[in-house]
Amino acid sequence: MSGELIIHRVGSVATVQDMGRPGYLEFGLSRGGAADRLAISEGAALLGQSEMLAALEMVGMGGEFEATRDLRIALTGAPMDAVIGDTRLQWNASHLLPAGERLFIGAVETGVYGYLNIGGGFAMQRLMGSQSVHLTAGIGKPVTSGQCLALGADKTSRTGMKLVVESRFAGGIIRVVPSLQTDNFTTCDLERFQATEFRRDNRGNRMGIRLVSQSGAFHIATDLDVLSEVIVPGDIQITGDGTPYVLLSECQTTGGYPRIGSVLPCDLPRVAQSKPGTILRFNFVSLATAVEIERRCASTFHDLQRRVTPMIRNPHHISDLSSYQLIGGVTAGDDLDWEKF
């Protein structure tokens, strides 16, 4: 064990999450894992470590944390107010949390899920290849105040890095592909579904979110019952009253509601991070287009690593340094002893 993270205070729902447990659908266990998997990859890129390491997922509110050793952290996902001592921390960046200092993370400013990524991850037992808490399946429990989480060994020391990320907290157009029951809806209903501005309802959790609109209910055009069959995160089920639900990471593994479509995996973080009241619209794309989009997104982690930059640039690492104007008319090309600055 390489130290502990002390949880002095924590919000109502905070869990340890990684990329989840794929491959267990036939045993009745959905993938689970982080609601916003991209945030895990962003944290890993900022810390220069594997994206398979777990982070602390905080829903709506952070908490007060302390480490028993110097600890590298990265803050990703839904932005939250964060400070160490009197220093406010930049979001989507990596920082050093010195041993004995306290990290305070407040409420979300936008979005739903914020992530405290840890240098070296957590030294917790893996169950079926994952450290993720799966609340629906009863695997693990939420983090509570007073708890201490064992830390994994950290192999690097780099901090002070930042990452400019595309906002995914304002809803917008979500791309979907047809599902098994899409053809059972009328053309008129499919067109209306794409033209509708849906509002993310207050009802929602890691299993899925409910969508409401002024457009009216959606129903399949056949009297045939839908047999219970495999469902996965991203599926959009239409319940008996004609209301759409988008399934998320802890959804059930089977269901009998018709599915009007399925959200592309790369767009699912935008759905998960939509807070109540956020407007979402859906646009069908062909399977071939979806495959190409996902192929481009498959290299996301490597792209993130290339986009990580220092928050404060080291003059020795600036290739065009001589073009910079410094104090008193001195240019960076002059012979200066940088160690004195």
Side-chain angles (χ1 to χ4, degrees), residues 62-174:
E64 180 181 348
F65 311 95
E66 178 185 349
T68 59
R69 66 164 167 85
D70 287 353
L71 181 64
R72 295 190 310 133
I73 63 170
L75 303 169
T76 60
M80 300 173 165
D81 185 43
V83 297
I84 296 176
D86 296 327
T87 303
R88 182 169 182 175
L89 304 183
Q90 181 175 331
W91 207 257
N92 294 314
S94 62
H95 310 274
L96 176 66
L97 174 59
E101 293 281 347
R102 295 201 179 188
L103 166 67
F104 297 87
I105 302 179
V108 291
E109 298 171 354
T110 184
V112 179
Y113 298 95
Y115 293 83
L116 172 58
N117 303 267
I118 302 296
F122 294 105
M124 299 169 55
Q125 181 182 5
R126 289 183 173 272
L127 181 61
M128 292 180 283
S130 172
Q131 294 180 335
S132 283
V133 170
H134 196 303
L135 298 174
T136 307
I139 299 175
K141 297 179 180 179
V143 170
T144 57
S145 299
Q147 188 174 354
C148 295
L149 302 179
L151 301 172
D154 194 359
K155 298 179 181 180
T156 60
S157 59
R158 185 186 72 178
T159 57
M161 309 302 290
K162 66 178 180 179
L163 182 62
V164 177
V165 302
E166 182 179 351
S167 176
R168 53 185 180 276
F169 311 108
I173 296 178
I174 306 299

Side-chain angles (χ1 to χ4, degrees), residues 13 15 32 41 46 92 103 106 116-117 136 142-144 149 197 199 219 232 247 253 276 278 287 291 296 309:
V13 182
T15 55
S41 295
L46 284 164
N92 294 314
L103 166 67
L116 172 58
N117 303 267
T136 307
V143 170
T144 57
L149 302 179
E197 285 192 347
R199 179 172 53 84
H219 296 286
V232 296
L247 304 183
T253 55
T278 300
L287 182 58
V291 168
R296 292 198 301 267
T309 58

Side-chain angles (χ1 to χ4, degrees), residues 61-313:
M61 175 68 71
E64 180 181 348
F65 311 95
E66 178 185 349
T68 59
R69 66 164 167 85
D70 287 353
L71 181 64
R72 295 190 310 133
I73 63 170
L75 303 169
T76 60
M80 300 173 165
D81 185 43
V83 297
I84 296 176
D86 296 327
T87 303
R88 182 169 182 175
L89 304 183
Q90 181 175 331
W91 207 257
N92 294 314
S94 62
H95 310 274
L96 176 66
L97 174 59
E101 293 281 347
R102 295 201 179 188
L103 166 67
F104 297 87
I105 302 179
V108 291
E109 298 171 354
T110 184
V112 179
Y113 298 95
Y115 293 83
L116 172 58
N117 303 267
I118 302 296
F122 294 105
M124 299 169 55
Q125 181 182 5
R126 289 183 173 272
L127 181 61
M128 292 180 283
S130 172
Q131 294 180 335
S132 283
V133 170
H134 196 303
L135 298 174
T136 307
I139 299 175
K141 297 179 180 179
V143 170
T144 57
S145 299
Q147 188 174 354
C148 295
L149 302 179
L151 301 172
D154 194 359
K155 298 179 181 180
T156 60
S157 59
R158 185 186 72 178
T159 57
M161 309 302 290
K162 66 178 180 179
L163 182 62
V164 177
V165 302
E166 182 179 351
S167 176
R168 53 185 180 276
F169 311 108
I173 296 178
I174 306 299
R175 294 165 294 188
V176 301
V177 291
S179 189
L180 294 180
Q181 288 85 41
T182 301
D183 289 341
N184 291 339
F185 292 85
T186 65
T187 300
C188 179
D189 261 10
L190 292 177
E191 291 176 351
R192 183 165 60 91
F193 179 77
Q194 294 183 89
T196 296
E197 285 192 347
F198 292 97
R199 179 172 53 84
R200 200 274 207 200
D201 191 54
N202 290 326
R203 280 172 279 186
N205 53 29
R206 286 174 45 81
M207 292 183 65
I209 62 170
R210 182 175 186 263
L211 301 174
V212 295
S213 73
Q214 302 297 319
S215 179
F218 296 85
H219 296 286
I220 57 176
T222 174
D223 293 331
L224 295 177
D225 291 332
V226 177
L227 297 176
S228 184
E229 57 190 7
V230 172
I231 54 178
V232 296
D235 282 345
I236 307 173
Q237 290 187 316
I238 305 296
T239 59
D241 63 358
T243 301
Y245 275 79
V246 183
L247 304 183
L248 298 181
S249 58
E250 285 191 11
C251 66
Q252 295 176 311
T253 55
T254 59
Y257 289 123
R259 289 168 289 176
I260 197 168
S262 189
V263 176
L264 270 62
C266 61
D267 280 2
L268 200 53
R270 295 174 57 199
V271 177
Q273 290 285 17
S274 61
K275 64 182 181 180
T278 300
I279 300 299
L280 298 169
R281 293 185 60 181
F282 297 92
N283 180 43
F284 279 101
V285 298
S286 69
L287 182 58
T289 299
V291 168
E292 179 58 31
I293 292 171
E294 288 297 322
R295 181 179 292 116
R296 292 198 301 267
C297 290
S299 60
T300 295
F301 182 55
H302 297 294
D303 290 339
L304 290 172
Q305 289 177 312
R306 287 192 289 268
R307 285 162 41 198
V308 170
T309 58
M311 284 191 281
I312 300 177
R313 299 184 68 184

